[in-house]
Amino acid sequence: MTAVRTTTPGPTTSAGVPAVAPVPVRRRRGATPRSVRRLRRLQTTAVALLLAFGALVVTALALSFTASSQAAESLAQYQRLADARIQALSVQEAANTWALTPTDAVRTDVTEQLTSLATTLADASAVETDRDRIVPLTGALVHYSMTLQDALNAKGTASAALLAKADTQLTDELLTPLTSARTAAGDRLAGELTAGWLPWVIGGLVVTAGGLIAISVALARASHRYVNPGVALALLCAVASVAVLATSSTAASNAATDFTASARAELDSVATLQQQLHQARADEVLAVGLQTAGASYQTRWSTAYNTALETIPRLPNATSSTTSALKAYKTSHDQVTGATDKAQWVTATGLVTDASAKAFAKLDGALNTIYANLRSPVTSSIKSVGDGVVAGIAGVIVFTLAGAGLAFWGVSRRIEEYR
């Protein structure tokens, strides 16, 4: 007898279709809300650390920019005051000619030279650091101008005597204070360039790095992964920001070293030489105007010439033509003194206002070229420090935002694993 197998029908739907059992869904690893909140706190802390550190670096760079701007202003003042000394002597040169050729052209030239000097002093007094030094010189210039006016109202040897008085006033009341002010501007320039805040930023980096490392350790314990790529890259961005500041500080330090080690001595040498030669030229003209009191002026002229003869060959960018121009001026001057020694005042007047004047102008032009060639690289070097700081600020902002974004992303990956 054959057994018959019977089956028990499974559950069906109301339509008679067999019901399908639901497929179990694999649930993600559960996480308590406390774990997620902890990760979010780590994320917020990492971003805050990077933003705060970035703000610190940007602040340091901003202060460096201010310092470099002050250094550029000090350099401009240093050069401006050198120009002021030459302008002051140019006034005296033009005025001394009055005793020899009292013409409207000479009076106009003196007025224009005085105006240029007054403008330079006004610009110099606008620099707050030097205001107390420069403002009193305005009164000295007025006093000097009054003496010049008296000289321009006289003629011949009487005018020359007043011009000699003005020359003494010029030295005591204007040239000496201008030299002191110029020295002060040069002295503070290097200090302004090297006023860095790198040590403070390195301290901030230590705090930031320590915080990010602590966050990385906490993430490693939560996820059992040793390195979080986002946080690690964020730390590299912080280090890159310090590198930007270090580069800027190095550039400023190099510019300061170049100025103090060589450039300043060269600039001072040319500026001092120009002042001595302009004084010599003024003395040459005044000696002819005085007619009987030229010996002391001739001594000062000879001293300036001998100094120039020794100094010019050592100047950067100086050529033999500059020395030739100096010797040509001496030849013209010797002709003037030859005429004065014989009391040939008309001849001396013609020589000192023509041939000697032209020879001096050629020499002065050569020295102006040398001085301009020395000024240009110094100005460019200090300007490049400020430009580099501006670029550095932009770079640090990029690194800071990138670092904050990377840190946020790195922790977010861990948070996603707990959802």
Side-chain angles (χ1 to χ4, degrees):
M1 185 174 181
T2 303
V4 180
R5 177 182 299 176
T6 60
T7 59
T8 303
T12 61
T13 63
S14 58
V17 179
V20 179
V23 178
V25 179
R26 183 177 180 181
R27 299 181 61 187
R28 294 184 180 181
R29 181 174 57 181
T32 62
R34 182 180 299 174
S35 298
V36 174
R37 287 197 301 270
R38 183 168 178 268
L39 289 174
R40 290 197 183 282
R41 283 196 299 270
L42 292 175
Q43 184 181 56
T44 301
T45 302
V47 171
L49 276 173
L50 288 160
L51 291 177
F53 179 69
L56 173 63
V57 180
V58 169
T59 300
L61 285 169
L63 292 172
S64 297
F65 179 76
T66 300
S68 67
S69 297
Q70 291 173 341
E73 183 180 72
S74 294
L75 177 63
Q77 183 79 328
Y78 172 79
Q79 296 173 343
R80 183 185 295 117
L81 293 175
D83 292 339
R85 294 191 305 179
I86 302 303
Q87 288 173 345
L89 287 167
S90 295
V91 172
Q92 187 68 37
E93 290 173 49
N96 287 352
T97 308
W98 176 263
L100 306 177
T101 55
T103 64
D104 290 340
V106 172
R107 188 184 294 273
T108 300
D109 190 19
V110 172
T111 301
E112 290 176 351
Q113 296 285 0
L114 278 172
T115 301
S116 296
L117 176 57
T119 300
T120 301
L121 290 179
D123 292 340
S125 65
V127 179
E128 185 176 357
T129 309
D130 295 315
R131 189 166 297 158
D132 291 342
R133 295 174 179 270
I134 304 301
V135 169
L137 298 186
T138 303
L141 180 60
V142 172
H143 184 210
Y144 171 67
S145 299
M146 291 173 65
T147 304
L148 284 184
Q149 188 59 49
D150 291 339
L152 295 180
N153 290 334
K155 292 183 180 180
T157 56
S159 174
L162 289 170
L163 289 169
K165 177 182 177 181
D167 181 81
T168 301
Q169 287 180 347
L170 181 69
T171 300
D172 296 341
E173 299 178 12
L174 281 171
L175 292 180
T176 299
L178 283 173
T179 300
S180 298
R182 182 173 185 265
T183 300
D187 288 345
R188 67 174 178 262
L189 191 150
E192 290 166 341
L193 280 175
T194 55
W197 289 266
L198 185 59
W200 292 95
V201 172
I202 291 177
L205 177 62
V206 171
V207 174
T208 302
L212 292 177
I213 291 172
I215 290 171
S216 296
V217 171
L219 291 173
R221 289 177 177 176
S223 62
H224 304 292
R225 291 181 177 85
Y226 293 107
V227 178
N228 184 285
V231 176
L233 291 173
L235 179 56
L236 289 178
C237 287
V239 173
S241 294
V242 176
V244 169
L245 179 61
T247 300
S248 175
S249 298
T250 299
S253 178
N254 290 339
T257 300
D258 290 343
F259 179 76
T260 56
S262 58
R264 183 179 182 181
E266 294 168 351
L267 289 169
D268 284 347
S269 180
V270 179
T272 300
L273 180 58
Q274 283 187 297
Q275 180 180 341
Q276 288 179 310
L277 288 173
H278 275 273
Q279 182 67 70
R281 170 61 184 166
D283 290 344
E284 180 185 43
V285 178
L286 185 59
V288 176
L290 289 171
Q291 295 186 2
T292 58
S296 60
Y297 297 112
Q298 177 57 28
T299 299
R300 193 157 60 175
W301 192 99
S302 298
T303 300
Y305 172 78
N306 291 330
T307 300
L309 196 61
E310 294 176 2
T311 303
I312 288 176
R314 298 197 300 265
L315 297 177
N317 304 318
T319 62
S320 58
S321 61
T322 308
T323 301
S324 297
L326 174 65
K327 292 179 178 179
Y329 175 49
K330 183 179 187 304
T331 299
S332 297
H333 176 72
D334 288 343
Q335 293 174 350
V336 173
T337 55
T340 57
D341 288 343
K342 299 175 183 178
Q344 296 173 345
W345 303 116
V346 175
T347 301
T349 297
L351 289 169
V352 81
T353 56
D354 186 17
S356 183
K358 292 177 180 177
F360 178 79
K362 186 175 181 180
L363 171 61
D364 190 43
L367 291 174
N368 283 336
T369 300
I370 293 173
Y371 195 37
N373 290 336
L374 289 175
R375 277 185 175 187
S376 181
V378 177
T379 302
S380 298
S381 175
I382 293 179
K383 181 178 182 299
S384 67
V385 172
D387 294 342
V389 172
V390 172
I393 290 175
V396 168
I397 290 174
V398 171
F399 282 129
T400 298
L401 295 178
L406 287 167
F408 186 88
W409 167 76
V411 181
S412 293
R413 292 182 63 191
R414 298 295 172 260
I415 293 174
E416 287 295 326
E417 293 176 356
Y418 281 86
R419 288 182 176 177

